Amino acid sequence: MGSSSKKKKEKQKDFQKPKLKVGKTRPKADNFTDTSFKARSIVVTQQSLQTAAPSVASQFNHQLSLLTHKSDTQRRESLAYLTGAINTARAQNAPLPQPVSIIIPRTLALIYDSSKAVREQLLKLFHALPPADVLPHVEELLRRTRAGLTSMALDIRINSLEVLDWLLQIHPDETVSCAGGWIHTLKCFMSLLGWKDAWATTAQERWSTASMSGNSSGHGANADKSKKLRIHQMKTLAAFLKAGLVLDEEAVAAAKAEQAAAARRWFPLHQTRFHMVGGQGPNGFAHLNLFGAPRDEDADMYRDRQGRQRAFERLIQPATEAGLPGAKKEGGTLGRAAAEVEKVILDGMDDYFASSGPAQLASELGA
């Protein structure tokens, strides 16, 4: 009897809950493992077994490869490194770690990058490049810049205008004379400014052109930024027209002096220059488009000033006649910028309308 009652009590213990006092912790389980300890460790993300540091060229190539990184911060830091390396090399009169022909193709897509910091750093990189080495890439740079000018993002359009200002500063002649550089770019400006264009023949095309401008819409900060963008577009248009239409008297005088000196040096071959390649850069016959695809008027090359004047008078002048009076009436900084555009057109087309005189051109522009 005694052993059976003892076994019953032991079985009952398994079903009895312990009575806990207030504030007393619950007893730990038999399989409890203490994980409150902390371990100190050193994490090395990158390890190298090489004793020598990587060369400047290899580091430069590595940063170039990071320009397509998904992180905005990484792209901006890579551009900053490339800019610093280029400035250091030029300050020491040393060759660049990589030629410009390799650097520019890697950076073209960043002209309309989604990050404002990346685009601003890209502009610093462009200013650091040697202008002479940028000359063969003006056409591709201008093509990508036009894509940025027509972007839906307002900040991208502003930064693209700054890239165009840089091109007009270092290579104005090549910018307006490359393939698509003159008419295509001017039509782009006419669409951005919302001016009536001569090539929009249908109502739908005119509506699309007007809706592309969208520079004065919005309220508050967006409206102010849109107005600044429109002023910037007008000033850049004036600089572009000046590069394509207005004669630089100092440059003409210098060219005549150089021709006279060459005539003295090459006597009696006074007309040697007329038998030489007229184009500049590595492809002097590019304006003939001997082996390229057929081009239309928009993508044609207008290397001489007279050809640009004829194309402007026939294709672009109707749009300026329609848009300039309204821009001048707005007054303020925008009105002054529009008046500057009008003055450039008068100066650039003065000799083209020599038979009728500048007064008729001024009346056509609504002056």
Side-chain angles (χ1 to χ4, degrees):
M1 293 293 294
S3 61
S4 62
S5 60
K6 183 178 181 180
K7 290 180 180 180
K8 289 181 180 180
K9 290 181 180 180
E10 290 178 355
K11 289 181 179 180
Q12 291 177 355
K13 287 182 179 180
D14 297 335
F15 301 96
Q16 290 180 355
K17 294 182 180 179
K19 295 181 179 181
L20 301 177
K21 296 182 179 179
V22 178
K24 187 177 181 181
T25 58
R26 190 170 184 174
K28 298 178 181 178
D30 296 337
N31 59 349
F32 172 76
T33 302
D34 187 8
T35 58
S36 61
F37 61 90
K38 293 182 180 180
R40 294 184 179 181
S41 62
I42 300 176
V43 179
V44 181
T45 56
Q46 296 179 354
Q47 298 184 18
S48 177
L49 301 178
Q50 298 179 358
T51 57
S55 62
V56 177
S58 62
Q59 293 181 11
F60 198 89
N61 292 335
H62 177 65
Q63 296 297 330
L64 275 176
S65 65
L66 293 177
L67 293 181
T68 57
H69 198 275
K70 62 180 181 180
S71 173
D72 300 346
T73 304
Q74 181 61 61
R75 295 197 300 272
R76 180 183 59 80
E77 291 178 354
S78 297
L79 287 172
Y81 175 86
L82 297 176
T83 306
I86 293 172
N87 288 328
T88 302
R90 295 190 64 185
Q92 299 175 355
N93 292 326
L96 300 183
Q98 287 292 343
V100 177
S101 59
I102 294 179
I103 299 174
I104 288 184
R106 300 285 188 89
T107 59
L108 288 174
L110 300 179
I111 293 178
Y112 36 82
D113 192 88
S114 59
S115 173
K116 181 180 179 181
V118 173
R119 297 193 303 270
E120 292 177 348
Q121 188 61 48
L122 176 65
L123 188 62
K124 296 179 182 179
L125 173 65
F126 284 160
H127 281 282
L129 295 174
D133 297 341
V134 180
L135 181 61
H137 308 278
V138 170
E139 180 180 344
E140 183 64 21
L141 281 166
L142 184 59
R143 187 174 69 85
R144 296 297 185 103
T145 303
R146 284 197 299 265
L149 291 175
T150 56
S151 173
M152 298 300 293
L154 190 142
D155 290 336
I156 294 179
R157 279 181 277 171
I158 294 176
N159 290 116
S160 299
L161 283 172
E162 294 175 352
V163 176
L164 182 56
D165 292 338
W166 166 69
L167 287 175
L168 291 173
Q169 180 182 359
I170 61 173
H171 295 299
D173 294 335
E174 186 66 24
T175 302
V176 297
S177 62
C178 66
W182 183 239
I183 295 300
H184 200 168
T185 306
L186 284 175
K187 285 187 175 182
C188 179
F189 271 106
M190 298 301 106
S191 298
L192 293 174
L193 293 171
W195 292 353
K196 181 182 178 181
D197 40 82
W199 63 92
T201 56
T202 64
Q204 183 177 1
E205 291 177 352
R206 287 193 293 269
W207 180 87
S208 301
T209 302
S211 63
M212 272 292 295
S213 61
N215 291 327
S216 301
S217 61
H219 302 280
N222 290 333
D224 295 339
K225 189 178 292 187
S226 299
K227 187 175 182 179
K228 291 180 180 179
L229 171 63
R230 190 173 175 84
I231 295 172
H232 194 171
Q233 289 172 343
M234 201 77 69
K235 291 182 177 180
T236 304
L237 175 61
F240 187 82
L241 290 173
K242 184 176 181 180
L245 297 177
V246 179
L247 278 175
D248 190 352
E249 297 181 359
E250 296 181 358
V252 172
K256 290 182 178 179
E258 178 63 25
Q259 291 175 3
R264 290 192 297 268
R265 288 195 304 267
W266 294 94
F267 179 83
L269 303 176
H270 295 287
Q271 299 180 349
T272 306
R273 65 183 184 276
F274 294 109
H275 303 282
M276 299 177 67
V277 178
Q280 301 292 330
N283 190 4
F285 294 101
H287 62 286
L288 299 178
N289 193 29
L290 297 176
F291 305 103
R295 293 195 297 259
D296 53 4
E297 289 182 328
D298 293 1
D300 204 354
M301 302 175 71
Y302 298 89
R303 287 196 173 276
D304 59 296
R305 176 171 171 263
Q306 289 76 15
R308 291 193 290 267
Q309 286 177 323
R310 287 193 297 269
F312 177 83
E313 187 270 338
R314 186 166 52 89
L315 299 173
I316 306 299
Q317 186 176 347
T320 59
E321 291 176 358
L324 275 176
K328 290 170 59 180
K329 289 180 181 179
E330 295 189 24
T333 308
L334 180 60
R336 290 191 294 270
E340 182 180 356
V341 173
E342 184 181 31
K343 182 179 183 301
V344 170
I345 295 176
L346 290 172
D347 295 341
M349 301 294 288
D350 188 10
D351 55 344
Y352 184 77
F353 292 98
S355 59
S356 57
Q360 179 177 349
L361 176 61
S363 62
E364 291 178 355
L365 291 175

